[in-house]
Amino acid sequence: AQKITQTQPGMFVQEKEAVTLDCTYDTSDPSYGLFWYKQPSSGEMIFLIYQGSYDQQNATEGRYSLNFQKARKSANLVISASQLGDSAMYFCAMREGGTSGTYKYIFGTGTRLKVLA
Amino acid sequence: EPEVTQTPSHQVTQMGQEVILRCVPISNHLYFYWYRQILGQKVEFLVSFYNNEISEKSEIFDDQFSVERPDGSNFTLKIRSTKLEDSAMYFCASSRDPQETQYFGPGTRLLVL
């Protein structure tokens, strides 16, 4: 079973508009973390935002916010006022505990966002 | 702002050859990771490393792979005898604490011919 599901392989948004990228997750661990990374065409992975499972408020970082709905197991990324430079692949990831006490990330399949001028 | 660096950015090798991918994690980070991303696919965990030992490894990380911290700054991934299917982007990541955010390097794009 998929632990991280991103159902939108591709999205378009008009410049200056807001866009929501969907992410649902599956875990039985009460303590977990959810992350969004941006991957531009150059290939690097850029950390955007983090939400902890016990955080009471939705995370925000500048134009990025995370719409965290714990009961629905969703952690959608909202980008406000889209810019042309936001065009990239976006990955949702979940921190999952291992038996060793270190944590690995499980990634979704990504959503490719294209911002239109 | 401190960042994870990786060298080389691109590597082309012949099948069966050994490759070593290098990473310099953020200096005060203690936990190190390798991930890979086959072209067009999602990022997959390979291995985590702490206190000079492998903490966890995935099924992908078989006997052909090894990791090492040869000195106080570098963290390397070695593939002993490369296969065509090893062609991928390899990302190194580091974190200060296992529950803190992992910061990724820019990746090494490996092409096995």
Side-chain angles (χ1 to χ4, degrees):
Chain A
Q2 293 289 330
K3 293 207 171 185
I4 293 283
T5 303
Q6 293 181 256
T7 57
Q8 306 152 313
M11 291 278 285
F12 290 95
V13 65
Q14 207 64 41
E15 196 178 8
K16 297 179 188 169
E17 306 246 315
V19 63
T20 298
L21 307 184
D22 294 342
C23 173
T24 58
Y25 60 91
D26 182 27
T27 182
S28 55
D29 192 339
S31 176
Y32 53 89
L34 297 157
F35 303 80
W36 279 91
Y37 287 82
K38 173 183 178 182
Q39 186 177 46
S41 56
S42 49
E44 70 265 37
M45 294 285 284
I46 302 167
F47 166 70
L48 295 178
I49 196 166
Y50 162 75
Q51 180 84 44
S53 58
Y54 294 120
D55 293 344
Q56 294 295 315
Q57 293 192 319
N58 287 343
T60 60
E61 287 285 347
R63 294 187 298 110
Y64 304 109
S65 60
L66 204 152
N67 184 1
F68 181 46
Q69 298 190 42
K70 197 169 180 177
R72 292 187 176 185
K73 293 190 173 178
S74 75
N76 299 338
L77 177 69
V78 181
I79 305 174
S80 62
S82 298
Q83 300 170 357
L84 295 177
D86 294 334
S87 294
M89 187 73 125
Y90 288 81
F91 288 99
C92 179
M94 179 173 66
R95 181 186 64 221
E96 184 174 73
T99 53
S100 59
T102 60
Y103 294 81
K104 62 186 178 190
Y105 286 9
I106 308 294
F107 284 82
T109 50
T111 295
R112 187 171 297 282
L113 177 68
K114 175 74 175 170
V115 180
L116 305 172
Chain B
E1 187 175 320
E3 57 185 22
V4 178
T5 59
Q6 289 185 244
T7 53
S9 58
H10 293 77
Q11 173 111 33
V12 181
T13 190
Q14 294 289 326
M15 193 170 59
Q17 295 294 304
E18 174 183 286
V19 294
I20 298 176
L21 310 183
R22 290 184 168 80
C23 168
V24 179
I26 294 172
S27 62
N28 63 347
H29 285 189
L30 301 175
Y31 295 82
F32 314 121
Y33 313 83
W34 284 100
Y35 292 81
R36 81 167 185 195
Q37 183 184 30
I38 294 172
L39 187 64
Q41 298 187 22
K42 63 182 177 181
V43 178
E44 301 172 289
F45 169 78
L46 290 178
V47 66
S48 60
F49 190 86
Y50 168 70
N51 200 26
N52 283 320
E53 287 185 344
I54 289 175
S55 307
E56 186 176 353
K57 57 185 181 179
S58 70
E59 292 173 355
I60 303 167
F61 194 90
D62 61 22
D63 292 344
Q64 293 300 313
F65 291 89
S66 63
V67 289
E68 193 179 33
R69 188 150 162 85
D71 54 45
S73 58
N74 288 284
F75 177 51
T76 62
L77 174 70
K78 183 194 291 187
I79 309 174
R80 252 179 280 282
S81 178
T82 49
K83 304 192 268 282
L84 296 176
E85 55 265 37
D86 293 328
S87 295
M89 179 79 107
Y90 288 81
F91 291 104
C92 173
S94 71
S95 66
R96 193 168 48 184
D97 179 275
Q99 294 203 43
E100 290 196 3
T101 300
Q102 293 176 22
Y103 290 90
F104 283 70
T108 293
R109 199 176 293 277
L110 176 66
L111 179 61
V112 182
L113 302 175

